[in-house]
Amino acid sequence: MTSVQSRNAAYTLALLIPAALMGGALIAQFVFGLPPCEMCWWQRYPHIAAIVMSLIAQMQRRTGGGDMLVMLAAVAIGISGLIGAFHAGVEYGWWEGITTCSSHKLGNDPLAAIMSAPVIRCDVAPWTLFGVSLAGYNFLISMAGAITVFRLLGRARRSAGGLQP
């Protein structure tokens, strides 16, 4: 793969990965009726940032000024993946969530605890495939995507003989 091909692939993936994951999240929400919990929203924000940065980088590609934005987009994609890993751990019961959207002990007033419980809980996976939740898939796809974008940009820079603008 040439330097130009590696760079083009990195730019394309930095846009397509978060766009596809956001598209999937919106389809799950609006077509299949799976509303997002608080931690689901946390995973969406870095993807939105990555899409914006990647679109700006696409406009700057011809001038060669978009590499830094693509790297930042890859960081944002990775951050969403890490949030997804944390969320999946909460769903699988590996650790307790830090938000109010997880179940808690009922305490002294069970009725008050039930009435104040959120409608969308973060500690229950509303959908799984092969035992992996949506948050788990976000982790897997986002981390693989972020690593791939970094590798492609690194390959492009090495093939070109050094750092480029």
Side-chain angles (χ1 to χ4, degrees):
M1 187 178 273
T2 69
S3 173
V4 172
Q5 290 172 326
S6 293
R7 181 169 279 108
N8 287 342
Y11 276 60
T12 301
L13 286 176
L15 178 60
L16 289 181
I17 291 166
L21 289 169
M22 279 300 301
L26 293 172
I27 288 169
Q29 180 178 351
F30 292 110
V31 176
F32 297 111
L34 299 173
C37 69
E38 185 177 352
M39 282 197 266
C40 293
W41 279 106
W42 295 353
Q43 293 169 75
R44 291 180 183 194
Y45 298 135
H47 282 312
I48 293 167
I51 291 168
V52 171
M53 288 185 278
S54 295
L55 286 172
I56 295 169
Q58 294 287 345
M59 292 185 276
Q60 296 179 351
R61 184 192 319 214
R62 296 195 193 282
T63 63
D67 283 9
M68 182 58 69
L69 284 171
V70 171
M71 282 190 261
L72 289 173
V75 169
I77 293 166
I79 288 170
S80 179
L82 292 174
I83 295 169
F86 178 75
H87 187 188
V90 171
E91 290 174 334
Y92 298 136
W94 296 340
W95 45 75
E96 189 172 320
I98 58 173
T99 68
T100 58
C101 64
S102 297
S103 64
H104 295 287
K105 294 181 180 170
L106 296 178
N108 293 335
D109 190 359
L111 182 58
I114 291 169
M115 295 305 291
S116 66
V119 176
I120 317 294
R121 291 179 35 189
C122 297
D123 61 347
V124 176
W127 180 89
T128 62
L129 179 64
F130 307 118
V132 180
S133 69
L134 291 171
Y137 280 111
N138 180 48
F139 164 70
L140 295 170
I141 295 167
S142 293
M143 295 311 290
I147 291 166
T148 302
V149 170
F150 278 121
R151 291 182 123 189
L152 287 167
L153 279 178
R155 182 181 299 158
R157 288 174 176 249
R158 281 191 306 277
S159 297
L163 297 178
Q164 294 188 355

